[in-house]
């Protein structure tokens, strides 16, 4: 009898939880990559109860890049999610994409050169004549010619090679390349590897070298916005609260991710979130509130995307893929 009761009780509780969840509005949230520190806010929204308080139950869907994420959102597989707004602009400039950016997550691009102290690379222009390794898949590659040109450098000013992402750090630490291209969301990972090798990192963000653009944004399916605008508005508010909470409580952010994705280490996630949070909370945020889109920076983002993708900047208005009403103060 004891075993029977032990079997029945979890079923009763699970059924009760399902009933409660049904009473909430369900939102399918699309990641643009695998779970990690830079994705902390959506996990905070769930674990800290911001989404539940807004009457929303969230299902998280992993992704494999912004292009895939935007496709899933545009087709209605997911309702809303995180993706590079530049990828949305590029897609919408060439075809009809029923998806809209409704909130900025990162107002700065994550692209950077990583080198080591002693390699002779202390400023951006020091990269001239150096060997640089990059992943063949990173979006940084399309912006590389632009940021080099911003600093009076041609593409052949560096010796560029492509390598598996996992090989970049070993190449740098062992001196087989002078620098690598990597994202600022991974500073703590590279710092740990450098420290283990007895080295010191030198990091040169491309945003400091003239590459002004928005990057990650909340992008939503147009039908979702049209048919469930109240849900979308409540979700944006809850997500914004989560973003702020994560910035103020990075340890809790790490724990929130690890609670839902237990194979991830909370401490490592916390460190990665600290690296990522500077892309959302910085001097730009002081001028333009969290989540908002500044028209001038939107235009600059599109100009960069168009140049990088070989598109006619004058043939598309980037404002057509942005809806600021969901972040407007009530």
């Amino acid at each position: 009898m004891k075993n029977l009761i032990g079997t029945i009780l979890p079923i009763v509780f699970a059924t009760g939880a399902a009933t409660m969840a049904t009473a909430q509005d369900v939102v399918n949230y699309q990641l643009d990559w695998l779970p990690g520190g830079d994705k902390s806010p959506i996990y905070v929204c769930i674990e800290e109860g911001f989404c539940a308080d807004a009457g929303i139950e969230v299902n998280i869907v992993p992704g494999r890049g912004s292009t895939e994420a935007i496709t899933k959102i545009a087709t209605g597989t997911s309702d809303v999610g995180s993706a590079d707004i530049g990828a949305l602009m590029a897609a919408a400039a060439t075809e009809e994409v029923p998806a809209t950016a409704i909130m900025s997550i990162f107002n700065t691009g994550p692209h950077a050169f990583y080198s080591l102290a002693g390699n002779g690379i202390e400023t951006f222009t020091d990269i001239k004549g150096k060997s640089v390794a990059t992943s063949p898949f990173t979006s940084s590659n399309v912006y590389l010619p632009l940021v080099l040109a911003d600093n009076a450098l041609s593409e052949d000013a560096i010796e560029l090679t492509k390598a598996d992402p996992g090989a970049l750090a070993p190449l740098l630490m062992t001196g087989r390349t002078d620098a690598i291209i990597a994202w600022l969301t991974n500073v703590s990972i590279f710092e740990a590897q450098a420290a283990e090798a007895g080295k010191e990192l030198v990091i040169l963000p491309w945003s400091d070298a003239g590459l002004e653009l928005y990057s990650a944004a909340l992008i939503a399916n147009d039908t979702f916005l049209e048919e469930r605008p109240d849900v979308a508005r409540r979700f944006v508010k809850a997500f914004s609260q989560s973003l702020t909470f994560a910035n103020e409580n990075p340890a809790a952010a790490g724990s929130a991710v690890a609670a839902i994705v237990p194979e991830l280490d909370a401490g490592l996630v916390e460190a990665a979130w600290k690296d990522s949070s500077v892309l959302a909370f910085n001097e730009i945020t002081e001028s333009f509130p969290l989540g908002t889109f500044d028209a001038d920076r939107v235009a600059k983002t599109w100009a960069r995307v168009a140049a990088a993708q070989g598109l006619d900047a004058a043939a598309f208005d980037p404002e057509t893929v942005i809806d600021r009403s969901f972040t407007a103060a009530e």
Side-chain angles (χ1 to χ4, degrees), residues 88-315:
L88 175 63
M89 290 176 178
T94 57
E95 59 184 321
E96 184 177 349
V97 181
T100 301
I102 57 175
M103 176 183 172
S104 167
I105 301 175
F106 295 153
N107 58 32
T108 303
H111 319 286
F113 284 130
Y114 284 66
S115 188
L116 298 175
N119 280 1
I121 303 174
E122 299 295 332
T123 66
F124 195 92
T125 53
D126 291 337
I127 204 72
K128 183 177 181 180
K130 302 294 185 179
S131 58
V132 180
T134 185
S135 162
F137 312 111
T138 177
S139 62
S140 301
N141 294 338
V142 300
Y143 294 113
L144 177 61
L146 304 184
V147 74
L148 287 173
D150 287 343
N151 292 272
L153 297 173
S154 62
E155 291 183 59
D156 59 8
I158 62 175
E159 180 187 334
L160 187 67
T161 60
K162 294 183 179 180
D164 184 87
L168 294 179
L171 287 172
L172 180 61
M173 304 310 164
T174 58
R176 286 179 287 170
T177 187
D178 297 316
I180 61 173
I181 294 173
W183 282 15
L184 296 171
T185 54
N186 296 315
V187 169
S188 59
I189 295 174
F190 289 111
E191 282 183 336
Q193 293 172 323
E196 186 175 343
K199 309 286 186 178
E200 181 183 348
L201 279 184
V202 174
I203 304 172
L204 302 173
W206 293 2
S207 57
D208 292 343
L211 190 65
E212 296 182 54
L213 44 75
Y214 285 107
S215 52
L218 274 187
I219 296 173
N221 173 270
D222 285 350
T223 300
F224 168 68
L225 296 179
E226 292 166 5
E227 296 182 353
R228 299 199 288 164
D230 179 61
V231 176
R233 191 163 285 105
R234 283 186 278 124
F235 177 79
V236 168
K237 183 177 180 180
F239 187 89
S240 181
Q241 291 173 322
S242 303
L243 191 54
T244 299
F245 178 91
N247 184 57
E248 296 172 349
N249 304 275
S255 296
V257 178
I260 298 175
V261 191
E263 58 267 32
L264 297 181
D265 178 83
L268 295 179
V269 174
E270 175 189 354
W273 166 244
K274 286 181 178 178
D275 297 338
S276 306
S277 63
V278 300
L279 302 176
F281 298 89
N282 47 51
E283 67 279 358
I284 297 170
T285 321
E286 295 173 5
S287 300
F288 304 99
L290 182 69
T292 61
F293 290 105
D294 168 53
D296 182 58
R297 195 170 183 83
V298 166
K300 289 179 178 178
T301 299
W302 167 237
R304 293 299 192 156
V305 171
Q309 302 283 359
L311 301 170
D312 181 4

Side-chain angles (χ1 to χ4, degrees), residues 18-32:
T19 302
M20 290 176 64
T22 303
Q24 294 186 312
D25 292 297
V26 177
V27 170
N28 293 317
Y29 185 89
Q30 180 68 50
L31 298 180
D32 56 1

Side-chain angles (χ1 to χ4, degrees), residues 6-21:
T7 302
I8 294 174
L9 283 178
I11 297 175
V12 172
F13 288 134
T15 303
T19 302
M20 290 176 64

